[in-house]
Amino acid sequence: MTASLPSPASPLKIGTRGSPLALAQAHETRDRLAAAFDLPQEAFEVVVIHTTGDDAALVAKDRPLKEIGGKGLFTKEIEEQLSSGGIDIAVHSMKDMPVEQPGGLILDCYLPREDVRDGFVSPALSGWAELPEGAVAGTSSLRRRAQLLNRRPDLKVVEFRGNVQTRLKKLADGVADCTFLAMAGLNRLGRSDVPATPVAPEAMLPAVAQGAIGIERRESDSAVAGMLAAIHDAETAKRLAAERAFLATLDGSCETPIAGLAELDGNTLRLRGEVLRPDGSEAIAEDASCPVEDGAALGREMALKLLERAGPGFFDWRG
C-alpha cells in the first residue's frame, strides 16, 4: 500500500462541488484520509467542479428541482471527471445521489453520519405551530413542502433554492417567514449563528440518506479502494443500505415526496418510511424493524407495502 499512497508530488485528487458545504465535506474527507495514513494535507488536491445544479441563473429562478433535471444535476459533471480520470474520488451529499451509479463507478465508502434532522429556520419562531395562518414557508424540497402542507394546509409554500447564505438572505428580505435547512449542513459549516430549531423525525421524517457523506471511486481503482476502506463507517453503510433500497424501489428521482430513516439499536435496524402527495393532501407511512443484515430487504419490502397501500392513482400526478 505504501507505494500507492499519494504525495505532494502526486496528490490524490478529490472532486467536489464548490459550495461552502460541499467544500467542508471534501475537506473532512481529506483530513480523515490524511490522519488515517499520516499524510500531509498537500498529498491531496481538492478539485472544484461546476455542476449544472450550481448554475446561478437556475438558482435565481427558484424552479423546482424536478423541472430542471432532478438529482443528477449535482453529480453528472463530477462523475464524468471521475470516469475520465480527471479526479480520483468524488465526495457527495448522499441525499443528492441518484440510486444508480454510472458504469465503472462505485459508491461504497461513507463517513460517520451527522445529525439527520431538518432544522426549522426563523429569526423569531421555533416551530411551524407558531406560524400565523396563511404564513409563507420557503423550501426547494418537494418532501418538505408536502410534509409541511400535510401538517399545516393553511400555509403558503414558495420555491426557495440556493445555498445556506442565499436562503438566509431571502429570509431576511421577507420572501418567506421561515425555511428549512438540514442540521447536518449547518453543523458541518459551524453555523451555530443560524436561528435553526431541530425538528424531531416524528414530526418531519428526513430525506433518505440526509446527513451522510458518500465517496465515489472508479471500480477498477484498487489503491483508492484500500485507502477509503480505512475511513469507511460501517454503521452508516448499514443504515443507508436500507434507506436507499427503500428509495430505489419506490422511485429514486426527485419527483416523489419520499422520506426515510433507518436507525440501529445493537443488531436491530428500525426503518421508518413515508410517501406523500405533493400537495400534502395524503401521507402514508410505515414503521418496521429487522436484523441489521436484512435492512436492504426490509427497505424493498416497506416500499412495496407503501405502493400497495397508496393504490392506483396515488402517483398519477407524475405523468
Side-chain angles (χ1 to χ4, degrees):
M1 167 59 79
T2 305
S4 303
L5 288 177
S7 67
S10 181
L12 182 89
K13 294 185 176 180
I14 303 172
T16 177
R17 295 170 62 203
S19 72
L21 178 56
L23 288 170
Q25 294 178 163
H27 291 153
E28 180 179 341
T29 302
R30 176 200 64 196
D31 294 346
R32 286 179 181 274
L33 284 169
F37 294 94
D38 195 23
L39 294 170
Q41 286 189 355
E42 293 76 23
F44 304 90
E45 179 185 347
V46 174
V47 180
V48 174
I49 299 167
H50 187 82
T51 71
T52 308
D54 297 315
D55 189 305
L58 287 179
V59 171
K61 287 179 180 175
D62 274 336
R63 289 174 60 199
L65 191 58
K66 69 187 181 86
E67 287 183 12
I68 52 178
K71 292 188 178 188
L73 279 175
F74 301 112
T75 59
K76 181 174 176 287
E77 288 84 358
I78 296 174
E79 290 178 327
E80 287 172 351
Q81 285 287 312
L82 184 58
S83 294
S84 69
I87 55 173
D88 299 302
I89 60 174
V91 180
H92 302 286
S93 290
M94 283 306 300
K95 71 182 180 66
D96 291 335
M97 285 299 286
V99 289
E100 292 182 7
Q101 274 65 60
L105 301 184
I106 187 168
L107 212 166
D108 60 357
C109 175
Y110 305 107
L111 301 188
R113 197 170 190 176
E114 245 286 0
D115 193 332
V116 301
R117 297 173 295 179
D118 289 301
F120 173 88
V121 181
S122 166
L125 308 175
S126 60
W128 62 68
E130 299 176 22
L131 289 168
E133 188 170 342
V136 178
T139 178
S140 60
S141 162
L142 195 60
R143 168 191 62 87
R144 289 172 178 152
R145 171 190 291 266
Q147 288 173 321
L148 189 59
L149 289 173
N150 181 259
R151 282 58 155 173
R152 285 287 306 270
D154 62 290
L155 299 179
K156 181 184 178 185
V157 182
V158 297
E159 198 65 30
F160 222 58
R161 293 191 55 71
N163 60 28
V164 175
Q165 292 78 2
T166 303
R167 296 189 207 193
L168 289 175
K169 184 177 187 307
K170 290 179 180 179
L171 210 57
D173 291 344
V175 177
D177 299 299
C178 71
T179 188
F180 295 86
L181 292 166
M183 292 304 301
L186 294 174
N187 291 345
R188 287 194 173 109
L189 288 168
R191 294 299 301 268
S192 57
D193 59 306
V194 174
T197 304
V199 183
E202 289 71 24
M204 180 178 262
L205 200 62
V208 164
Q210 186 156 300
I213 295 172
I215 305 169
E216 193 175 21
R217 62 175 173 88
R218 287 182 294 278
E219 210 162 356
S220 60
D221 197 335
S222 57
V224 165
M227 288 192 72
L228 293 181
I231 62 168
H232 175 60
D233 187 71
E235 178 176 318
T236 299
K238 290 168 184 172
R239 295 171 67 184
L240 262 57
E243 292 178 29
R244 282 172 63 80
F246 171 72
L247 179 65
T249 305
L250 273 173
D251 186 348
S253 74
C254 276
E255 297 182 23
T256 309
I258 297 170
L261 177 63
E263 296 168 298
L264 299 185
D265 182 4
N267 195 44
T268 299
L269 180 142
R270 178 193 181 191
L271 179 64
R272 285 177 278 177
E274 181 182 34
V275 293
L276 307 96
R277 291 186 185 270
D279 63 1
S281 60
E282 189 176 359
I284 307 170
E286 287 278 345
D287 185 339
S289 297
C290 70
V292 170
E293 59 270 20
D294 297 331
L298 177 61
R300 290 188 287 271
E301 178 186 312
M302 182 174 288
L304 292 173
K305 278 187 180 177
L306 286 175
L307 287 169
E308 185 179 352
R309 285 181 58 194
F314 189 89
F315 295 113
D316 279 0
W317 45 266
R318 286 191 304 193

